[in-house]
Amino acid sequence: MDVSTLSNSNISFQLQAQRVEKFLLHTNEPFNFTATPSQPQYYEYIFPEGINSVIVKVTSPLAFPCTVISIQDILCPVYDLDNNVEFIGMYQTMTEKAAITVQKKDFPRSSFFVVVVVKTEDEACGGRLHYYPITPEEQPIQGNRSKLLTVTVTPAISSELYVGSVLFCLGVFLSFYLLTFVISCIEQWRQQKKGGLLTAVIGTSPDEKASLLGKAVTPDSVLGSSFEGYSYGSLGNSSNFSSEAITDSMTSGEAAIAGRPMENVTCRPRHDSQSSVEEDEYDTLADIDSDKNVIRTKKYLCVSDLSRKDKRVLNKKYQIYFWNISTIAVFYALPVVQLVITYQTVVNVTGNQDICYYNFLCAHPLGALSAFNNILSNLGYVMLGLLFLLIILQKDITHRRALIRSDYYALECGIPKHFGLFYAMGTALMMEGLLSACYHVCPNYTNFQFDTSFMYMIAGLCMLKLYQKRHPDINASAYTAYASLAAVIFFSVLGVVFGKDNLVFWIVFSIIHVVATLLLSTQLYYMGRWKLDTGIFRRIIYVVYTDCIRQCSGPTYVDRMVLLVMGNIVNWSLATYGLIMRPSDFASYLLAIGICNLLLYFAFYIIMKLRSGERVKFIPLMCILFTAVVWGFALFFFFQGLSTWQKTPAESREHNRDCILLDFFDHHDVWHFLSSTALFGSFLILLTLDNDLDTVQRDKICVF
């Protein structure tokens, strides 16, 4: 023992040694003690036979003084001072809670020290820095720096539970594959049954037709009532339509039933040559309708008005969404993986467990990973994203085959089928799982955007897909869309880094938010038929004068105006809230803006769909109800808040909780399970929402 002093004169002292009776910690037995800055404590724990991993839990009824908990090998000397406790082993700062998982393989002697050091300052734990007087006569007021603590060492989970948890994840999400396969088989059987009925109707005599259909045979009954959904927009009163319209609404076989010779059946000309074509090589509208202002500014639009471009051109346009997001994913993911591996390596080498913001009460290590359960729970995003891609691939192949055989319903009926955005959505869902897993390797302040970047992508792609359904010709290009999403992610990073309590940033962001909302509203209202140039203010004044002052007239497009007014109210309210409250979690605030706009547009779409006399079929209705329930439960688990990098690591651990599922998964893992399922259900809603229109001519489908 060395004793030293900074005093210029000799100082007398007394040394008293006492035998420590309770020095060993025992499994599942709480041990209470008191520590002070001048009297640190340490105790030994020996691994019992059959236990290979334990969790050392330390609790205190007092948040301060700030404390350091360290796990050290049995060495001499013990590093139990404030200035050296971080030299070896694993350590955490602590206010009320701390938990460290210790594995037997890391300690050759099958035992370790639990060292508790009370710091002289609280700044490391989020407390205020004490005032120190300048004059030497005035003594600083430190207050009571003693702290009562309780240490409990509990066994960690067994290797069998690791295997069971992995099998549980695989089983849950593979069941979606099985369910999809069963539904696909049932749907295929129904289609074959309908096709067989049509063949039987076409190939039988009139009397047999009547017996099959249960009614007198008329062209309307054969074409409209034989199949579910054909009655919508059917030619019930043929006198109101020209012979050309009737011919255009039948396939060759149906035309023969109606008494027309097949050689007289004609179709409107289509641009279906196999030559290479680019959208910018020529105007893809027909020459007679080359003035887009005439078409797109009509008061009442139908889908056929906005699906006039060559379908191969549009397919190429929307496939770029998939290829672009695939390229973005590769270039984004590779450095992310490298960075989080470096973070995990630093944690393992230095033992500093304040670097990563885990839920330490439910963090199960595996190999070099400190929280394997938080990574495993992201498997759902990847598996369900892949399943959605397989569903889209099957739909795409079926549609291509229908186009090859010139199927009338594929060519002229229903919402135009473009699958590029769906492919991009599935890819984004898989990337969300991968990047969320990377974030949870070492969650902290510097890499939070990894977990949110593709959430912005998913929200943006869903809105684009919903808009594309009835506006395929004028939807945004992939380059414009991804450039806009890149700007959103850029502002997300700026907000996380500079936005906390920075009034200037919030003023600039709120102005940009409001201006962007106005520009987008103008773009949507006029269907792109406007220009942003030096004459924009003169045109605005002219419109206000003619429509509001000279004569008060209502908006030309009432439904669009209602949507845009509601959208502006929501976005202006969110901008005002951000400017006044300045939330510390800017990334979540920005994501909330995207989700609110998506929900608003989806609600508007459903309402307008029902107003237009359309209906929501059973499968999309079940998807909507199921997804809404799952989203509700998912958000409940999300807002439990098991950790937060907006506070110090010690304060974040105050929110830690025990596992709730299989003794392996915590609340946030359940959020991963439920949110991946809800996103998959949301994608299915967008895929199946307009199935009721598959047999309706496009010139009878409203645009809204």
Side-chain angles (χ1 to χ4, degrees):
M1 174 176 290
D2 294 330
V3 179
S4 61
T5 179
L6 296 178
S7 176
N8 295 325
S9 58
N10 293 330
I11 295 178
S12 61
F13 67 93
Q14 291 182 343
L15 176 63
Q16 181 180 3
Q18 290 181 332
R19 179 180 176 83
V20 178
E21 299 295 337
K22 294 183 178 180
F23 183 68
L24 291 178
L25 300 173
H26 300 283
T27 307
N28 291 322
E29 292 185 9
F31 181 74
N32 301 315
F33 61 93
T34 301
T36 64
S38 60
Q39 192 176 14
Q41 304 286 346
Y42 66 93
Y43 302 92
E44 183 181 1
Y45 177 82
I46 302 174
F47 281 97
E49 198 66 32
I51 295 181
N52 297 317
S53 180
V54 295
I55 302 176
V56 179
K57 302 178 182 178
V58 185
T59 59
S60 174
L62 303 174
F64 298 104
C66 181
T67 308
V68 177
I69 309 299
S70 175
I71 304 296
Q72 302 179 16
D73 201 356
I74 306 297
L75 297 173
C76 187
V78 176
Y79 293 89
D80 60 350
L81 299 177
D82 189 12
N83 59 359
N84 65 13
V85 69
E86 301 174 357
F87 285 2
I88 65 171
M90 300 177 288
Y91 61 90
Q92 296 178 359
T93 53
M94 170 194 165
T95 52
E96 296 179 357
K97 290 181 183 179
I100 301 178
T101 300
V102 185
Q103 301 185 69
K104 186 177 182 178
K105 65 181 180 62
D106 297 330
F107 297 91
R109 296 179 178 85
S110 298
S111 60
F112 58 86
F113 285 141
V114 177
V115 182
V116 179
V117 177
V118 177
K119 298 179 74 68
T120 57
E121 303 290 348
D122 296 331
E123 187 179 16
C125 294
R128 64 185 181 88
L129 186 64
H130 286 285
Y131 164 74
Y132 285 91
I134 298 177
T135 57
E137 294 81 10
E138 192 176 353
Q139 295 296 321
I141 301 175
Q142 290 284 352
N144 182 16
R145 302 295 297 175
S146 64
K147 189 164 187 174
L148 177 64
L149 301 110
T150 302
V151 175
T152 307
V153 182
T154 59
I157 63 174
S158 62
S159 57
E160 289 79 8
L161 194 53
Y162 277 84
V163 176
S165 301
V166 172
L167 294 178
F168 170 79
C169 283
L170 290 173
V172 166
F173 295 111
L174 285 176
S175 65
F176 283 89
Y177 283 74
L178 179 61
L179 181 62
T180 302
F181 177 75
V182 171
I183 294 176
S184 178
C185 290
I186 295 174
E187 190 66 22
Q188 188 72 18
W189 174 76
R190 289 183 60 199
Q191 294 297 329
Q192 291 178 354
K193 185 178 179 181
K194 288 181 180 181
L197 179 59
L198 177 60
T199 303
V201 170
I202 293 175
T204 55
S205 63
D207 293 337
E208 292 172 329
K209 289 186 179 74
S211 63
L212 282 172
L213 299 174
K215 61 173 83 175
V217 178
T218 65
D220 290 345
S221 65
V222 175
L223 297 176
S225 303
S226 301
F227 304 97
E228 181 185 354
Y230 280 27
S231 59
Y232 187 102
S234 60
L235 307 180
N237 185 2
S238 59
S239 62
N240 294 337
F241 297 86
S242 65
S243 61
E244 180 185 354
I246 297 175
T247 303
D248 197 35
S249 64
M250 300 181 182
T251 61
S252 58
E254 293 164 341
I257 295 174
R260 288 182 174 272
M262 291 181 63
E263 58 269 17
N264 293 335
V265 178
T266 59
C267 298
R268 68 171 62 103
R270 306 186 62 83
H271 305 282
D272 290 337
S273 68
Q274 298 301 315
S275 61
S276 176
V277 62
E278 296 291 343
E279 187 176 4
D280 56 359
E281 289 181 0
Y282 61 91
D283 189 350
T284 53
L285 292 176
D287 290 340
I288 193 171
D289 296 319
S290 59
D291 188 0
K292 300 176 185 179
N293 294 318
V294 174
I295 296 174
R296 298 183 189 174
T297 57
K298 293 195 309 184
K299 186 171 184 178
Y300 298 105
L301 286 168
C302 56
V303 170
S304 60
D305 294 324
L306 297 179
S307 58
R308 306 175 68 86
K309 292 182 179 179
D310 188 284
K311 63 177 179 292
R312 292 174 301 115
V313 174
L314 292 181
N315 283 336
K316 288 188 66 176
K317 172 182 176 180
Y318 293 122
Q319 283 298 330
I320 294 175
Y321 274 95
F322 169 67
W323 293 113
N324 277 12
I325 200 171
S326 300
T327 306
I328 292 169
V330 171
F331 281 93
Y332 197 98
L334 290 179
V336 167
V337 172
Q338 182 180 6
L339 179 63
V340 296
I341 290 175
T342 302
Y343 272 127
Q344 185 67 73
T345 304
V346 171
V347 171
N348 295 339
V349 171
T350 64
N352 182 3
Q353 299 205 351
D354 283 354
I355 296 176
C356 305
Y357 287 72
Y358 303 118
N359 175 18
F360 287 91
L361 292 176
C362 187
H364 304 297
L366 181 66
L369 301 172
S370 298
F372 173 69
N373 55 302
N374 293 149
I375 298 171
L376 176 64
S377 60
N378 288 284
L379 183 65
Y381 295 106
V382 179
M383 292 187 66
L384 294 181
L386 178 61
L387 176 59
F388 186 73
L389 288 178
L390 294 176
I391 293 173
I392 296 304
L393 179 61
Q394 188 269 337
K395 294 276 187 184
D396 195 3
I397 292 174
T398 302
H399 181 65
R400 289 176 185 271
R401 289 174 178 173
L403 293 178
I404 290 174
R405 65 174 183 266
S406 298
D407 183 270
Y408 167 72
Y409 298 108
L411 291 171
E412 301 295 339
C413 295
I415 299 297
K417 303 292 191 299
H418 302 292
F419 297 99
L421 271 167
F422 280 131
Y423 283 120
M425 289 161 57
T427 305
L429 183 57
M430 295 180 67
M431 286 305 303
E432 171 58 30
L434 175 62
L435 292 179
S436 178
C438 289
Y439 165 71
H440 284 91
V441 169
C442 182
N444 58 52
Y445 167 81
T446 59
N447 61 7
F448 181 68
Q449 66 271 17
F450 300 163
D451 194 29
T452 56
S453 295
F454 274 83
M455 292 183 185
Y456 303 134
M457 291 276 194
I458 290 172
L461 290 173
C462 287
M463 278 190 280
L464 286 168
K465 185 59 195 178
L466 203 55
Y467 187 76
Q468 182 211 50
K469 282 177 170 289
R470 313 227 175 195
H471 311 79
D473 282 1
I474 61 174
N475 204 19
S477 68
Y479 308 111
T480 303
Y482 288 131
S484 302
L485 292 172
V488 171
I489 296 173
F490 174 74
F491 275 105
S492 173
V493 175
L494 288 181
V496 170
V497 177
F498 303 110
K500 189 174 182 180
D501 295 327
N502 189 331
L503 182 59
V504 175
F505 170 82
W506 281 100
I507 291 175
V508 173
F509 174 78
S510 299
I511 292 174
I512 294 175
H513 184 188
V514 170
V515 171
T517 301
L518 291 174
L519 292 177
L520 182 60
S521 300
T522 307
Q523 177 75 11
L524 295 177
Y525 184 78
Y526 290 107
M527 296 284 187
R529 311 316 299 160
W530 70 290
K531 291 183 179 180
L532 182 61
D533 53 21
T534 56
I536 184 68
F537 296 105
R538 177 177 53 82
R539 293 194 295 273
I540 291 175
I541 294 172
Y542 179 77
V543 170
V544 171
Y545 173 74
T546 55
D547 292 357
C548 300
I549 299 176
R550 187 175 179 182
Q551 59 177 11
C552 188
S553 58
T556 305
Y557 315 108
V558 178
D559 295 331
R560 264 181 264 170
M561 179 60 72
V562 171
L563 169 66
L564 296 174
V565 168
M566 293 175 61
N568 276 269
I569 292 174
V570 170
N571 281 277
W572 288 38
S573 301
L574 289 170
T576 304
Y577 170 82
L579 185 60
I580 296 174
M581 303 302 297
R582 298 196 289 278
S584 56
D585 189 355
F586 181 79
S588 298
Y589 166 76
L590 200 57
L591 184 62
I593 293 175
I595 292 175
C596 287
N597 282 277
L598 175 60
L599 291 177
L600 176 64
Y601 188 33
F602 179 74
F604 172 82
Y605 191 95
I606 294 292
I607 293 172
M608 293 303 301
K609 181 178 176 67
L610 298 177
R611 272 194 61 195
S612 302
E614 302 171 13
R615 60 192 180 92
V616 179
K617 297 184 77 172
F618 177 76
I619 290 180
L621 181 60
M622 289 297 100
C623 287
I624 292 173
L625 297 177
F626 170 78
T627 303
V629 172
V630 175
W631 269 125
F633 283 105
L635 291 174
F636 169 78
F637 286 100
F638 175 76
F639 287 114
Q640 295 303 305
L642 304 182
S643 62
T644 172
W645 45 261
Q646 300 170 45
K647 299 180 179 180
T648 63
E651 291 175 311
S652 172
R653 276 186 277 274
E654 295 177 8
H655 303 279
N656 288 178
R657 299 187 193 178
D658 292 321
C659 303
I660 61 170
L661 179 63
L662 302 178
D663 288 331
F664 192 83
F665 300 108
D666 61 17
H667 294 77
H668 198 75
D669 295 323
V670 177
W671 150 257
H672 287 159
F673 292 143
L674 295 178
S675 62
S676 59
T677 304
L679 283 171
F680 178 70
S682 302
F683 290 0
L684 291 182
I685 292 173
L686 294 178
L687 180 63
T688 61
L689 185 57
D690 290 312
N691 282 357
D692 60 305
L693 303 177
D694 284 347
T695 56
V696 180
Q697 290 175 296
R698 287 171 192 160
D699 57 2
K700 297 180 177 62
I701 302 176
C702 297
V703 169
F704 40 78

